[in-house]
Amino acid sequence: MKFIHLSDLHIGKVVNGFSMLDEQRNVFNQVLKYIKKEKPTAVLIAGDIYDRVIPGVEAIRLFDDFLTELSCENVTVMIIAGNHDSPDRINYASRLLSEKNIILYGAFNGDMQKCVLKDEYGKVNFWLLPFIKPFSVREYFKNNEIESYDDALNIILKNSDIDYSSRNVLVSHQFFTKDGVTLFRSESELNSVGGLDAINAELIEKFDYAALGHLHGEQSVGSEHIRYAGSPIKYSFSEWQQKKSITLIELNKKNDLKITSLPLKPIHDMREIKGKIDNLMSDEVSSLGNKKDYLRVILTDELEIIDPIGKLRSVYPNVMCIDFDNSRKNIDAGTIYADSEDIKKLSPYDLFCEFFLKSQGSVMTEEQIKITRELLEQEEAV
């Protein structure tokens, strides 16, 4: 049996002020082409369908278009909610859509949802488990001590009627880890402090394949059959060197598994460039890549630059952010992205100083400080 594993669509995501809707529409079209070519029996989407709990209208429309196209391809689509999703919104119209072989499981109801498909070797049991937290599981198992994420998953598995002598596939959106295995975590993921959300991957070792969502980099968790498909698009510059893909699984008889990564090509890639601004803007350097890529630019100029992002965008229209790497950068400019409570404590002058430092890579001169103070005083007097 062939099936496709993808996750972390984050439909509607905005990265550094740039909407990713066109990029998402582009990769969905590529997924549909792969489905037409490979003719899988099922498509598994392992959570984080939307980027926000309340998605925008355009995001909902895009997912509606994608599901409508999938429903025409004679595949069974299985979808679970991730930590970014509203479980009840993912559940919406699930009974009606199940008649079109689109299985939605958003809000955990005490059990894993089981979907059985058949091929020439017999049954394959797909077990769907949306994103859970210990307190949401505790509600259904009140006579059990459930403190950790490990406890929560363990009690769910023990109370599920899983015959491990048959072929079983898990679809889950959690942070699975294994001793001795280093996993790549992206800046675009929600990271729990201290790894409190981590679950031991040994709990799901007996499944023939575990289709995981949550981490944005394609990777396995110790064993090849326990796998994150990763996000189909680069959603932060911590991912800029990754090659995005979806995962094609061929599960034949028991213990006969083949995994293939099917590459996805973005409209605009995400990459970093570094150097002095005049050199980066030269034809010799700018012609080395697609000028319309999404860029993080690291400037090494020692002299102050007036409107660096404006200059760079005259050559590279999709510059997303600028950083500086020079001898004057001895102050942490990252505080401009501080916690909202910290920002509230800063004066307008302090906030502008932080912004100037982040955008220019240097502190203001005495003349610039004087002009800034005069303008702010004029504003307060109005």
Side-chain angles (χ1 to χ4, degrees):
M1 180 180 294
K2 282 186 182 181
F3 54 90
I4 282 177
H5 168 203
L6 60 156
S7 71
D8 296 271
L9 309 182
H10 288 276
I11 304 173
K13 189 169 184 67
V14 175
V15 180
N16 294 305
F18 289 75
S19 169
M20 293 290 106
L21 282 170
D22 286 341
E23 295 287 347
Q24 290 162 341
R25 186 176 292 106
N26 170 60
V27 296
F28 292 164
N29 288 335
Q30 292 177 61
V31 171
L32 289 165
K33 288 180 181 178
Y34 279 129
I35 290 171
K36 292 177 188 294
K37 178 182 177 181
E38 299 293 342
K39 302 189 185 308
T41 302
V43 174
L44 315 179
I45 306 180
D48 279 358
I49 310 307
Y50 297 110
D51 191 57
R52 294 182 294 166
V53 170
I54 303 177
V57 172
E58 289 184 327
I60 294 171
R61 286 174 178 166
L62 178 54
F63 189 50
D64 179 55
D65 290 342
F66 185 43
L67 280 185
T68 301
E69 293 288 343
L70 284 174
S71 69
C72 298
E73 295 302 326
N74 194 31
V75 294
T76 298
V77 183
M78 305 179 205
I79 302 169
I80 62 169
N83 56 301
H84 276 254
D85 297 312
S86 163
D88 291 326
R89 285 184 171 85
I90 296 298
N91 266 0
Y92 178 74
S94 58
R95 284 173 290 180
L96 287 173
L97 288 172
S98 65
E99 297 177 5
K100 295 288 186 181
N101 291 323
I102 297 176
I103 313 301
L104 301 170
Y105 191 13
F108 178 68
N109 60 15
D111 293 302
M112 292 196 290
Q113 185 167 336
K114 183 180 178 182
C115 179
V116 181
L117 301 178
K118 294 182 179 180
D119 64 7
E120 64 269 32
Y121 298 102
K123 296 188 301 182
V124 178
N125 304 309
F126 291 85
W127 300 88
L128 311 186
L129 181 63
F131 179 72
I132 56 167
K133 291 185 176 182
F135 76 84
S136 61
V137 177
R138 201 177 297 136
E139 176 184 350
Y140 296 96
F141 301 96
K142 295 181 178 179
N143 295 326
N144 295 270
E145 185 174 332
I146 301 173
E147 300 296 332
S148 67
Y149 281 80
D150 266 7
D151 294 339
L153 180 59
N154 197 31
I155 198 68
I156 292 170
L157 292 173
K158 284 183 177 179
N159 283 272
S160 301
D161 185 20
I162 305 174
D163 177 7
Y164 287 108
S165 66
S166 298
R167 293 175 297 167
N168 295 282
V169 174
L170 174 68
V171 186
S172 175
H173 188 98
Q174 303 288 157
F175 178 37
F176 287 94
T177 64
K178 192 171 184 178
D179 287 344
V181 176
T182 301
L183 296 172
F184 174 82
R185 301 202 74 176
S186 166
E187 292 174 0
S188 58
E189 301 157 12
L190 291 178
N191 294 335
S192 178
V193 177
L196 295 177
D197 57 345
I199 298 177
N200 189 345
E202 291 183 2
L203 290 174
I204 58 173
E205 189 73 35
K206 291 181 181 179
F207 285 90
D208 293 87
Y209 184 76
L212 305 182
H214 192 46
L215 301 193
H216 289 188
E218 179 194 8
Q219 57 199 302
S220 58
V221 187
S223 303
E224 278 300 304
H225 71 289
I226 301 176
R227 194 167 192 82
Y228 289 99
S231 61
I233 294 169
K234 299 174 184 179
Y235 287 131
S236 77
F237 283 99
S238 62
E239 303 167 35
W240 77 273
Q241 292 181 310
Q242 294 179 3
K243 301 295 184 184
K244 294 299 184 178
S245 64
I246 59 174
T247 307
L248 175 67
I249 307 301
E250 296 180 58
L251 178 58
N252 298 311
K253 61 184 179 180
K254 187 78 174 175
N255 301 321
D256 183 0
L257 184 72
K258 181 181 178 182
I259 301 172
T260 306
S261 293
L262 304 176
L264 296 170
K265 185 177 180 180
I267 301 172
H268 304 125
D269 202 359
M270 181 179 283
R271 57 190 177 94
E272 291 184 356
I273 57 175
K274 181 177 180 179
K276 293 185 176 180
I277 191 167
D278 289 341
N279 186 43
L280 295 178
M281 293 176 64
S282 69
D283 290 338
E284 181 182 4
V285 174
S286 63
S287 62
L288 295 176
N290 187 337
K291 295 177 184 179
K292 293 185 178 180
D293 283 344
Y294 300 119
L295 295 181
R296 174 181 180 240
V297 181
I298 304 171
L299 295 176
T300 59
D301 299 78
E302 292 294 335
L303 297 177
E304 181 181 332
I305 305 168
I306 298 174
D307 189 23
I309 196 163
K311 291 179 177 178
L312 285 164
R313 282 181 175 167
S314 69
V315 176
Y316 306 102
N318 293 327
V319 172
M320 282 188 163
C321 61
I322 295 178
D323 285 309
F324 293 85
D325 185 6
N326 55 38
S327 61
R328 295 176 298 153
K329 190 181 179 185
N330 54 7
I331 302 175
D332 181 11
T335 53
I336 194 64
Y337 299 117
D339 183 86
S340 59
E341 292 302 316
D342 294 330
I343 290 175
K344 290 177 183 178
K345 299 175 185 177
L346 297 176
S347 68
Y349 171 75
D350 291 331
L351 282 171
F352 185 80
C353 288
E354 295 284 3
F355 171 76
F356 186 93
L357 178 60
K358 180 65 178 175
S359 62
Q360 299 297 323
S362 63
V363 296
M364 290 190 288
T365 64
E366 291 296 325
E367 181 65 21
Q368 289 167 331
I369 289 173
K370 180 181 177 182
I371 294 171
T372 301
R373 289 191 181 279
E374 288 176 353
L375 289 172
L376 289 171
E377 287 172 1
Q378 292 174 16
E379 181 68 22
E380 289 176 358
V382 174

